[in-house]
Amino acid sequence: MTRAETELVASREFDVPRELVFRAWTTPDLLARWWGPKGFTHTFYECDVRPGGAWKFTMHGPDGVDYPNHNVFVEVMPFERIVLDHLSGHEFRITATFEDFEGRTMVTFRQLFKIKEEFEQAKPICLEANEQQLDRLGRVLADMA
């Protein structure tokens, strides 16, 4: 099985420095404003942004359904990369990279699933949800700028 068979990739360029993008990814109050698809809200229980740190929260869907989430940060490289493992429900690794382009930032969001069948099941939902999430991040970054 290759990465292409179980990985989703979304990217977006934002007109802000990568320090702001990194802050939006590592500050719980900011993260709660943009994480997840359109219409979702969150209750954070723990958000320890460091290697080995836990991130536990519930996503509240616009339809009233709650989605418990448990993640562990694997790597946190300031202004460059964040890697975390999503351990509840479908297991996958998220790798977010932040590249500087003359004061602008290219964010690349990779979601690598452990099991191909789970990837196939989640793919139609996650493709759109990841784009909506980047839209939400853009709005938060615009407010921060």
Side-chain angles (χ1 to χ4, degrees):
M1 188 165 52
T2 66
R3 284 181 83 90
E5 292 179 301
T6 60
E7 185 175 53
L8 299 174
V9 180
S11 59
R12 186 81 52 90
E13 189 172 332
F14 298 103
D15 191 17
V16 297
R18 66 184 180 165
E19 292 80 9
L20 273 184
V21 177
F22 188 79
R23 192 168 74 184
W25 274 81
T26 58
T27 305
D29 290 346
L30 295 172
L31 191 56
R33 288 178 49 199
W34 66 267
W35 190 261
K38 179 181 177 184
F40 279 74
T41 60
H42 309 84
T43 302
F44 280 27
Y45 307 106
E46 185 176 359
C47 190
D48 184 7
V49 184
R50 63 174 177 82
W55 179 24
K56 296 179 182 179
F57 63 97
T58 299
M59 290 178 67
H60 309 290
D63 58 359
V65 176
D66 287 339
Y67 303 89
N69 282 261
H70 177 206
N71 302 281
V72 173
F73 288 93
V74 175
E75 185 178 3
V76 179
M77 293 188 63
F79 316 122
E80 292 181 24
R81 178 176 48 249
I82 295 174
V83 180
L84 60 95
D85 286 336
H86 181 270
L87 304 174
S88 52
H90 299 316
E91 290 187 34
F92 51 85
R93 174 165 282 184
I94 293 173
T95 302
T97 57
F98 316 112
E99 296 178 72
D100 178 46
F101 290 104
E102 299 176 1
R104 297 175 60 83
T105 304
M106 173 64 74
V107 174
T108 302
F109 181 90
R110 297 179 174 280
Q111 190 175 16
L112 180 63
F113 286 77
K114 278 186 149 181
I115 299 170
K116 185 170 183 184
E117 292 77 19
E118 290 182 358
F119 166 77
E120 293 297 337
Q121 186 179 50
K123 182 179 177 181
I125 297 164
C126 290
L127 283 171
E128 183 177 343
N130 292 348
E131 291 298 327
Q132 290 175 5
Q133 181 166 272
L134 290 174
D135 291 343
R136 294 178 75 185
L137 173 59
R139 287 190 289 279
V140 168
L141 293 171
D143 289 347
M144 293 170 66

